[in-house]
């Protein structure tokens, strides 16, 4: 069974919306506007590219990332990696041609089936709604969180407000940085 890893830039109050400057969100760009950049705080992001064997995205994140990541040197390892997009509306004609193999999955059940295949870890970037659905279905195995010392108030959250059974987590790696960022890596105890 493959490991499904959710990775996120997240505010202390749980917001994951618009970290990189995506339009339409009041606090868009909060990861670089409001916190000093320290390269060591982002070491995890480089490691993720080396450890992952595939990327899983929701439609909105796929459309945003596929427009810029294929040409960015910082994401060169992701360019050649297989991608999976969970969407009920995306078609083959909507997929970009310069970002290696991309497969459209139509449901959370399709993601569960993907996890049963052979291969290495699958990393989920962005995709707030998808993350919520995956978490609620018990499909996420690990969280890589870079927690920013900000309270953003309104915005899309990493976790849903669904009334569900407790999910226990085990902190397996953590570090605090001089700019206030915290790395928190949790395994989900199934």
């Amino acid at each position: 069974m493959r490991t499904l890893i959710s990775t996120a830039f997240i505010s202390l109050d749980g917001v994951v919306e618009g970290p990189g400057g995506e339009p339409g969100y009041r606090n868009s760009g909060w990861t670089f506007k409001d916190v000093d950049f320290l390269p060591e705080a982002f070491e995890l992001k480089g490691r993720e590219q080396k450890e992952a064997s595939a990327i899983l995205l929701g439609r909105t994140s796929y459309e945003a990332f596929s427009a810029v990541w294929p040409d960015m040197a910082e994401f060169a390892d992701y360019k050649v990696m297989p991608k999976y997009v969970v969407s009920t509306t995306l078609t083959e004609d909507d997929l970009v041609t310069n970002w290696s193999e991309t497969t459209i999955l139509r449901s959370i059940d399709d993601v569960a089936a993907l996890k049963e295949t052979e291969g290495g870890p699958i990393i989920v970037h962005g995709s707030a709604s998808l993350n919520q659905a995956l978490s609620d279905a018990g499909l996420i195995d690990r969280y890589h969180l870079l927690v920013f010392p900000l309270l953003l108030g309104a915005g899309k959250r990493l976790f849903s407000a669904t009334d569900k059974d407790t999910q226990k987590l085990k902190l397996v790696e953590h570090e605090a940085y001089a700019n206030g960022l915290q790395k928190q890596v949790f395994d989900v105890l199934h």
Side-chain angles (χ1 to χ4, degrees):
M1 178 179 282
R2 298 173 83 171
T3 302
L4 190 58
I5 301 168
S6 171
T7 183
F9 293 145
I10 186 168
S11 68
L12 189 59
D13 58 348
V15 174
V16 293
E17 186 171 357
E22 300 79 1
Y25 176 57
R26 177 176 186 251
N27 293 315
S28 188
W30 49 270
T31 59
F32 61 86
K33 288 192 312 190
D34 299 315
V35 178
D36 292 336
F37 179 76
L38 288 179
E40 61 270 24
F42 296 90
E43 171 275 334
L44 180 63
K45 306 316 286 175
R47 188 170 15 131
E48 288 171 347
Q49 287 189 68
K50 300 297 183 198
E51 294 175 355
S53 66
I55 302 173
L56 179 67
L57 301 163
R59 180 193 49 82
T60 302
S61 292
Y62 172 79
E63 289 173 343
F65 296 156
S66 68
V68 292
W69 280 18
D71 297 323
M72 294 178 71
E74 305 95 296
F75 300 111
D77 291 327
Y78 285 146
K79 184 169 184 170
V80 298
M81 216 175 272
K83 285 122 193 113
Y84 298 90
V85 183
V86 181
S87 173
T88 59
T89 59
L90 204 64
T91 68
E92 294 291 326
D93 290 340
D94 297 320
L95 301 177
V96 299
T97 58
N98 64 336
W99 208 28
S100 78
E101 175 190 348
T102 301
T103 303
I104 300 171
L105 305 177
R106 297 294 182 197
S107 68
I108 295 301
D109 289 338
D110 289 345
V111 176
L114 174 64
K115 280 189 64 171
E116 296 294 329
T117 63
E118 293 294 319
I122 303 165
I123 193 119
V124 183
H125 280 280
S127 310
S129 298
L130 177 59
N131 264 288
Q132 291 177 4
L134 294 169
S135 177
D136 288 350
L139 294 176
I140 295 177
D141 301 297
R142 177 172 273 198
Y143 290 96
H144 288 182
L145 305 177
L146 283 180
V147 182
F148 284 71
L150 303 169
L151 300 175
L152 298 174
K156 292 178 185 174
R157 302 266 194 264
L158 183 62
F159 302 103
S160 77
T162 302
D163 186 13
K164 61 184 177 186
D165 291 339
T166 301
Q167 286 184 316
K168 293 182 181 179
L169 307 175
K170 179 181 179 184
L171 183 66
V172 295
E173 186 180 342
H174 63 91
E175 193 162 348
Y177 302 95
N179 62 355
L181 259 69
Q182 295 178 39
K183 172 177 62 179
Q184 298 176 359
V185 176
F186 292 97
D187 281 343
V188 178
L189 303 177
H190 295 289

